[in-house]
Structures are given as structure tokens and as C-alpha cells.
Amino acid sequence: MSFTFPYICLETVDSTNTYLKNHPETWTVPYYTVRAKEQTSGRGRYGRSWISGRDNLAFSFTFRPPSTSRLSAVTIYAGLALRSILHKICGQKLLIKWPNDIIFEGKKLAGILTEMVENGNANIIIGIGLNLHDNMIPREWANTVTSLKQISNKDYEATELLNQIMNEMREYLSGFTVPLPEKIIIEFTTYMDRAANLVSIMENGKIIKKKYPLSGINQYGQLVTEDPSGSPKIIDVYEVGYPE
Ligand code: BTN
């Protein structure tokens, strides 16, 4: 299969995000994409590990916003693009747990790890992990994790899927601007998983889980919640996690 973006596929690597971080020559190549059939140290948000077996899809690509940007805004675009294409592919109702987990009926289908690399803060790496099959999902996660196969009873070809996802990513990210346009904020709040209101916040170096009513996102892609007194509380990507 041929791609309209630079693409390599590795048999095994520690993490595709780490691979791009370690190859600065890729940072300035738009949408340089690296897939690994197997990751030995896949990384998730908040320092968690991401386990994906050989049958699943794990890849990362470079994104260079037109100007120095906010990570929170990039994560919103990436989440919307992924939700949109997966919905078109499987036809199911998919939601986004802020900032960009893709959720089907309360279970996680895909996750995105967005990281800035140290080069004037203008280069970004976006890593996507998508569960295609159930075979690598540990039994104890059965209530919290799902796969494309489980929700649509179909098998998907990983390379073809990657190509479709990248085309949608490029479509969305080609319109990337901060502050976020109103239509992006509306699209996000339309598909936001409001049941996922248990927000973990970093306080004094510790992660504390608190329930907040979720209001939506602001024009920087930050989460807008309410504190117990009813005042708005803004949460940014780097200070939030979700319950295991
Ligand atoms: C999360 O939900 O916490 C984010 C998971 C992101 C996993 C992907 S798999 C490809 C890329 N390489 C990594 O090490 N992580 C991301």
C-alpha cells in the first residue's frame, strides 16, 4: 500500500512516540508516521503504560502547528479526528473523554498521547493506540476496555485503517488554529463523554481524584468544570488523569 505521507513500519520498538522523539530529523517533516507491529514499552498518558499486542494498531506522527501552540488545543483536534473517522468506519456512537480518549458505551476503544518535543515548543508528536481485537485485552480490563471487533463484529486491516486515520487527521489538523474555532468547540461538546466526570488532579505532587460537573472546553482546549462553590475551574492536559 502506498501512502501520501512519509511512513515507516517497524517490527518492534519500545514506543513509537519515543522513536520519533529520538529522531529529531523527523520533527520538521509534516506527518512523518511510524507504526510498530509491536511496542515493548508503549506509553500512555500520565506515565502509564500502554499494552498493545501484535494485532493492534500503534503508531505516532509528527505535527508542526503553524505557530507555537498549546498542547491542550492539539489534543482536541486529534481526538475529534479520531472519533470522526472511527465513527465513519464502524458506524457506532462514539464519545470523547476529555481530552481525547475514544469511548464506546463507557469503555475505552482508543487513546492518544500528545507530546511536545524540545525544539522551540513548535514540534509535536501525536501517538495513537487503537484496539482492533480483544485478544490482547487482559480479562481484568474487560469492563473498561473495548475493541473495534467487539463493537462492530468485523475485522479490520491495520494498514488500511492507519491510512484512513491519517487522512482524517490531516484534514482536521490542516484547519488547526488557537484559539479554537467555535465549530470545533461545539463539535467537542457534542461528543464529550459527560459521564466521565471523575477527574484526577495533581495537588502537591499527588494525584487526587475528584468528581466535577463537566461544563465543556474553553478556546484553548482546557476542560471547564465547576468547583464545589459553583465557580468555574479550568483543568489543563498536564494536570489531569483518569481512574484506572
Ligand atoms: C492513553 O490513553 O493513555 C494514551 C495511549 C497512547 C498509546 C499510543 S500507542 C502508539 C504511541 N506510542 C506510545 O508509546 N504511546 C502511543
Side-chain angles (χ1 to χ4, degrees), residues 41-62:
S41 302
R43 297 187 287 111
R45 297 183 58 243
Y46 240 138
R48 293 201 274 254
S49 56
W50 177 264
I51 299 169
S52 55
R54 287 192 75 83
D55 283 343
N56 283 319
L57 188 54
F59 67 97
S60 306
F61 62 93
T62 56

Side-chain angles (χ1 to χ4, degrees), residues 35-238:
R35 175 186 171 215
K37 291 188 180 166
E38 183 180 55
Q39 292 189 120
T40 52
S41 302
R43 297 187 287 111
R45 297 183 58 243
Y46 240 138
R48 293 201 274 254
S49 56
W50 177 264
I51 299 169
S52 55
R54 287 192 75 83
D55 283 343
N56 283 319
L57 188 54
F59 67 97
S60 306
F61 62 93
T62 56
F63 175 61
R64 201 174 156 83
S67 57
T68 303
S69 187
R70 282 180 180 248
L71 211 49
S72 49
V74 179
T75 67
I76 296 299
Y77 273 88
L80 285 178
L82 189 57
R83 193 218 69 86
S84 164
I85 188 64
L86 293 179
H87 168 69
K88 286 180 201 163
I89 288 167
C90 77
Q92 298 291 354
K93 184 178 172 195
L94 301 176
L95 296 177
I96 307 173
K97 187 172 173 178
W98 183 90
N100 52 19
D101 284 354
I102 307 300
I103 304 292
F104 173 75
E105 294 184 347
K107 297 182 182 181
K108 182 158 165 172
L109 173 65
I112 305 179
L113 178 65
T114 309
E115 298 180 291
M116 273 188 182
V117 290
E118 296 304 315
N119 183 17
N121 274 355
N123 296 304
I124 289 175
I125 291 168
I126 301 176
I128 296 179
L130 168 63
N131 300 320
L132 301 185
H133 309 274
D134 300 342
N135 31 3
M136 285 309 293
I137 300 177
R139 191 171 296 183
E140 63 270 25
W141 293 356
N143 292 331
T144 50
V145 176
T146 190
S147 69
L148 267 190
K149 169 83 176 179
Q150 200 172 95
I151 71 179
S152 63
N153 203 25
K154 279 194 212 145
D155 291 309
Y156 297 87
E157 208 279 303
T159 319
E160 171 60 30
L161 264 182
L162 179 147
N163 192 35
Q164 289 175 291
I165 293 170
M166 282 309 295
N167 288 338
E168 195 84 347
M169 284 288 162
R170 289 189 300 168
E171 179 80 27
Y172 269 78
L173 288 169
S174 66
F176 177 80
T177 49
V178 190
L180 299 178
E182 193 60 24
K183 73 172 187 356
I184 289 290
I185 296 177
I186 291 172
E187 184 174 337
F188 193 90
T189 45
T190 303
Y191 295 115
M192 184 170 179
D193 184 0
R194 289 172 190 280
N197 62 355
L198 192 59
V199 179
S200 301
I201 300 179
M202 193 73 91
E203 255 178 30
N204 304 325
K206 278 190 175 167
I207 299 170
I208 300 165
K209 288 172 186 162
K210 283 187 182 168
K211 252 190 187 179
Y212 286 107
L214 303 182
S215 309
I217 55 168
N218 65 15
Q219 55 187 352
Y220 300 108
Q222 297 161 312
L223 183 66
V224 183
T225 64
E226 266 178 29
D227 72 12
S229 69
S231 317
K233 177 172 169 58
I234 307 292
I235 298 174
D236 211 340
V237 276
Y238 52 79

